[in-house]
Amino acid sequence: MTPSPPSLARTRRPLSLLFPLLLLLAGARAAYEGCFSPDQAGELLVAGQKTSVCLLVAGGGSWSQEDFQYGRLLFQPVADDYTHLTVKGSYYTLASNDLDNFGTDIYVHVASQNRYSTQRLYSSRRGEVFPFLTAVVNVDKGEVVSISWDDSCAGCPGNNKRCQENTYSFDGTQFKRDGMFTRGCYLRRQDECTEKKCGLSVYVVWFGTDKYGQVLDSFHSRLTAFPQHTILDKMNQLTDFID
């Protein structure tokens, strides 16, 4: 079971959803009320219709801190469309500079309905950026039952030498569990990162069944469904597609 925050194969190009960073920086700590749009609260997921997916960004530490701050972005992709959520301008604002409100380590997690993933380290104070993120939303009869991370090290440069543990619980401690993907592949901020390569973005796929029992199969379009030697090429193609 995913630790909770306190109070809280088809080949398809992903639908790209861009969001300005301004709203991301406006968030502050508040009671967790799930990830729903105002007009869809409590509604079950239906394939081919809009659903709510949130990206939550925070600095290090425990979410139980009274002064803890985070940013939340609400996206509304079409359920079961292979989707790429992108935060415009995020690398130069979050990863390449120090922000007083988030600190130097930047973490991200994904939420939908009343479920959320563990946290992934996006940018570290050591100069590493982990830009390869895919969230798998598990759905049962339209209800989101869990959100997990897919393998983020497949096709990692340097024969996986850059593949490191980068999954964290909401108390700030590292999270590891057998049978779950908890590692990520990093690029070096100093000489490898640009907004295009290292901007905050998450691919989202769905697995399971919708409200009417229709099978959700965008899971089979995720990058790790392809041979490892093609993953970086496909990542480059998808990045070109959203420019």
Side-chain angles (χ1 to χ4, degrees):
M1 184 176 180
T2 301
S4 61
S7 69
L8 279 202
R10 288 187 300 173
T11 57
R12 296 184 289 187
R13 281 182 169 179
L15 169 68
S16 178
L17 300 179
L18 301 177
F19 210 103
L21 193 60
L22 178 62
L23 293 181
L24 177 67
L25 300 180
R29 186 177 183 271
Y32 181 75
E33 298 177 351
C35 176
F36 297 94
S37 68
D39 59 341
Q40 291 180 324
E43 290 189 9
L44 297 178
L45 181 146
V46 177
Q49 296 185 14
K50 286 186 177 180
T51 189
S52 296
V53 176
C54 294
L55 297 186
L56 293 95
V57 181
S62 172
W63 281 63
S64 63
Q65 297 171 202
E66 286 300 322
D67 59 348
F68 192 84
Q69 293 186 326
Y70 68 91
R72 187 176 82 157
L73 288 175
L74 171 66
F75 293 83
Q76 288 194 288
V78 174
D80 207 31
D81 274 4
Y82 180 28
T83 300
H84 187 193
L85 308 180
T86 304
V87 183
K88 185 178 180 180
S90 55
Y91 170 68
Y92 289 114
T93 307
L94 287 176
S96 64
N97 300 309
D98 293 337
L99 292 181
D100 291 338
N101 58 337
F102 284 147
T104 54
D105 286 339
I106 308 297
Y107 299 83
V108 61
H109 72 277
V110 176
S112 184
Q113 295 183 3
N114 290 311
R115 302 295 179 181
Y116 28 77
S117 69
T118 51
Q119 295 189 106
R120 278 289 177 97
L121 179 63
Y122 161 58
S123 174
S124 81
R125 68 188 68 192
R126 299 184 301 272
E128 303 156 342
V129 178
F130 297 82
F132 309 114
L133 297 169
T134 298
V136 180
V137 183
N138 186 14
V139 185
D140 182 29
K141 298 178 182 178
E143 180 182 359
V144 176
V145 295
S146 66
I147 302 175
S148 59
W149 296 107
D150 194 26
D151 184 6
S152 296
C153 284
C156 189
N159 295 320
N160 282 349
K161 292 181 180 179
R162 299 191 188 185
C163 185
Q164 296 183 357
E165 294 290 340
N166 76 327
T167 302
Y168 292 81
S169 299
F170 291 94
D171 61 1
T173 60
Q174 194 170 84
F175 176 85
K176 292 178 67 174
R177 182 167 297 176
D178 291 342
M180 296 182 66
F181 293 115
T182 57
R183 299 192 300 166
C185 180
Y186 71 86
L187 297 180
R188 293 186 299 266
R189 182 187 298 125
Q190 182 175 4
D191 58 355
E192 293 181 318
C193 277
T194 62
E195 181 68 39
K196 177 179 177 180
K197 290 182 178 180
C198 296
L200 176 59
S201 67
V202 179
Y203 294 89
V204 181
V205 296
W206 286 263
F207 177 80
T209 56
D210 76 354
K211 176 180 178 179
Y212 301 107
Q214 180 175 329
V215 174
L216 307 173
D217 63 355
S218 56
F219 174 78
H220 300 294
S221 296
R222 72 200 193 285
L223 292 177
T224 52
F226 304 104
Q228 288 195 13
H229 69 278
T230 68
I231 288 177
L232 290 180
D233 289 337
K234 289 186 178 293
M235 181 68 77
N236 289 332
Q237 292 171 9
L238 296 175
T239 303
D240 292 341
F241 173 66
I242 68 169
D243 284 351

